[in-house]
């Protein structure tokens, strides 16, 4: 890593695919919305461009495939995708158990926790929002910025809210656009292979398999002191690694 573990004062988490196991639902809602307009993209495309699916990207995709689509149509598709996600999926999307446990444990330490997501607040259920707001500060949603990932604005806004230099903050992401956003903001970025294989996340400073591996890394690399976690002892680390 380009950051000294002992200097880390805060961790910024992405939401979809890192805290929330929501990407299967987002993929399904995008494909259903596009299908209503006789358009189709594969699931891998949506996962690779998580957080950066905008009008220009989708227009370019369909033009590359020989389909002429009016750019204005994508405003309707985007709104329809949000409607489908909210109506059919939002209430059932779970928090990753490993993420919930990690947040609970990190709350016992001196580390500050923040969150940056491309999702707008209106697609987050009230219960989820209440938990996020009690666990992360600042909490930056897509409707709070003018330019979304991969632009650095979301992470720069989070840094300003934390009042910390980039050299004291770690980011946890799961998609190329988020990694690019974090790195463009001068941040060290860890990636979790929860939705994409390691090769797709190669621009991160370090790629880890899952939340258990992240917990082990944070302790064993000295970002946090295992003794400060109470129940998260060396025995817990060894058990998860086995």
């Amino acid at each position: 890593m380009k950051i000294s573990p002992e200097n880390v004062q805060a961790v910024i988490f992405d939401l979809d695919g890192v805290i929330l196991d929501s990407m299967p639902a987002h993929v399904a809602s995008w494909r259903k919305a596009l299908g209503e307009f006789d358009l189709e993209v594969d699931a891998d495309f949506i996962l690779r461009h998580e957080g950066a699916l905008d009008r220009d990207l989708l227009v370019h995709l369909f033009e590359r495939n020989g389909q002429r689509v009016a750019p204005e149509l994508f405003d309707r598709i985007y709104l329809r995708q949000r409607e489908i996600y909210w109506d059919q999926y939002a209430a059932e999307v779970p928090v990753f158990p490993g993420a919930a446990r990690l947040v609970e444990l990190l709350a016992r330490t001196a580390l500050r926790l923040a969150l940056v997501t491309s999702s707008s607040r209106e697609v987050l259920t009230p219960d989820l929002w209440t938990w996020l707001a009690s666990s992360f500060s600042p909490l930056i949603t897509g409707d709070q910025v003018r330019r979304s990932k991969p632009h650095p604005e979301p992470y720069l806004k989070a840094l300003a809210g934390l009042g910390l230099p980039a050299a004291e903050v770690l980011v946890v992401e799961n998609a190329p656009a988020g990694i690019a956003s974090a790195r463009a903001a001068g941040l060290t970025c860890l990636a979790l292979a929860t939705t994409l294989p390691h090769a797709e996340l190669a621009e991160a400073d370090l790629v880890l398999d899952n939340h258990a591996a992240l917990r082990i890394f944070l302790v064993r690399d000295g970002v946090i002191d295992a003794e400060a976690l109470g129940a998260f002892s060396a025995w817990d680390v060894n058990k998860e690694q086995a």
Side-chain angles (χ1 to χ4, degrees), residues 113-128:
L113 305 182
L115 187 137
V116 169
T117 177
S118 295
S119 290
S120 60
R121 179 173 176 174
E122 66 184 26
V123 301
L124 306 177
T125 63
D127 286 347
L128 176 60

Side-chain angles (χ1 to χ4, degrees), residues 76-155:
R76 295 167 59 194
I77 294 172
Y78 177 67
L79 290 174
R80 183 62 183 135
Q81 181 269 336
R82 288 198 301 185
E83 289 175 355
I84 293 171
Y85 179 82
W86 179 261
D87 292 341
Q88 300 182 25
Y89 300 105
E92 304 300 326
V93 168
V95 173
F96 282 109
R101 178 65 172 149
L102 180 61
V103 170
E104 174 191 343
L105 293 168
L106 291 178
R108 303 177 187 179
T109 75
L111 283 175
R112 296 171 63 186
L113 305 182
L115 187 137
V116 169
T117 177
S118 295
S119 290
S120 60
R121 179 173 176 174
E122 66 184 26
V123 301
L124 306 177
T125 63
D127 286 347
L128 176 60
W129 179 261
T130 298
W131 179 73
L132 293 174
S134 69
S135 303
F136 303 96
S137 180
L139 200 171
I140 309 300
T141 54
D143 47 309
Q144 295 178 25
V145 296
R146 292 176 57 196
R147 292 159 295 188
S148 59
K149 303 172 185 178
H151 194 277
E153 182 182 348
Y155 280 107

Side-chain angles (χ1 to χ4, degrees), residues 57-70:
L57 178 64
L58 289 171
V59 168
H60 175 70
L61 170 68
F62 289 111
E63 286 182 345
R64 191 176 64 194
N65 293 330
Q67 295 174 271
R68 301 292 297 178
V69 180

